Amino acid sequence: MIGDKYKYLDKGSPSDKINYSYSQYKGKAFLDEWAISRKEFLTEGQINTENDEPRKKEIFNKEFTPTNDLLDFLLEEEVNFKSYLNKINLWVKRFEVTKKIYSDYNELMRPSNRNNFMDFSLYAKFGQLMAQLFIELNRYQYLNALLKINDIIISNKERLNQNEMKLCKLSVSAEYEIVRDELTKRSLD
């Protein structure tokens, strides 16, 4: 079982919130458990990058924007996501409260339907966005959100189809590299 000692994996997520409150510090043992959960996930199956679809350029041009379109737009190489930081930061705050990524959002980052949150490709893309933001801005709020996103992803690995698995592995791999780099910087590796 993936990371059976890492306590932040819950197959009931995202329907059930994973409780991160008052987490006990466990030092290197915790980091080892975290690393095992990520390595086991990343070594399952192969990533096939063939037939990737082109990304659309559309953001908040209607009452509710599909999350996939929003994330594709923000992940475009040409997009300066710094100009969208207020919206992204609001989105991160909303995620931190709900631990859910919904199928669409309005300009206030509120969903049209609070029951549509089980598309794990959206979690993976949101994770990729959090990784990019952390790498560019070095703000730990994005790494924190990325860790939680990937806990949800790994908790639900049995539910992932092949395309979702490919996207999710990109998110988990980005997180793994970021955390390993951070640990190396602090000589904790």
Side-chain angles (χ1 to χ4, degrees), residues 24-34 183 188:
Q24 183 180 20
Y25 176 73
K26 293 186 179 181
K28 180 111 171 72
F30 171 81
L31 293 173
D32 291 342
E33 292 168 6
W34 166 85
L183 292 174
L188 295 173

Side-chain angles (χ1 to χ4, degrees), residues 106-184:
N106 65 15
E107 288 193 63
L108 298 174
M109 302 314 293
R110 296 211 183 267
S112 64
N113 184 339
R114 294 192 183 277
N115 294 318
N116 291 337
F117 57 84
M118 295 299 289
D119 182 346
F120 293 103
S121 67
L122 301 179
Y123 289 79
K125 287 180 180 184
F126 188 73
Q128 291 170 37
L129 178 63
M130 294 300 99
Q132 280 187 15
L133 285 164
F134 179 77
I135 289 166
E136 293 239 352
L137 304 175
N138 202 34
R139 292 187 188 159
Y140 285 92
Q141 72 191 65
Y142 304 123
L143 179 57
N144 185 40
L146 177 60
L147 290 163
K148 292 172 184 173
I149 283 285
N150 288 335
D151 286 345
I152 291 168
I153 286 170
I154 294 171
S155 294
N156 289 279
K157 71 177 186 114
E158 291 87 13
R159 297 179 182 181
L160 303 178
N161 64 39
Q162 186 176 8
N163 187 51
E164 290 171 333
M165 182 63 82
K166 176 180 71 171
L167 291 170
C168 289
K169 285 190 176 196
L170 293 172
S171 178
V172 173
S173 180
E175 173 208 292
Y176 187 80
E177 292 304 317
I178 288 168
V179 172
R180 297 307 287 179
D181 288 347
E182 290 297 306
L183 292 174
T184 300

Side-chain angles (χ1 to χ4, degrees), residues 57-66 69-70 105-107:
K57 290 193 175 189
E58 157 179 342
I59 185 169
F60 298 120
N61 61 356
K62 45 191 159 195
E63 188 176 357
F64 285 93
T65 300
D69 294 349
L70 178 59
Y105 288 92
N106 65 15
E107 288 193 63

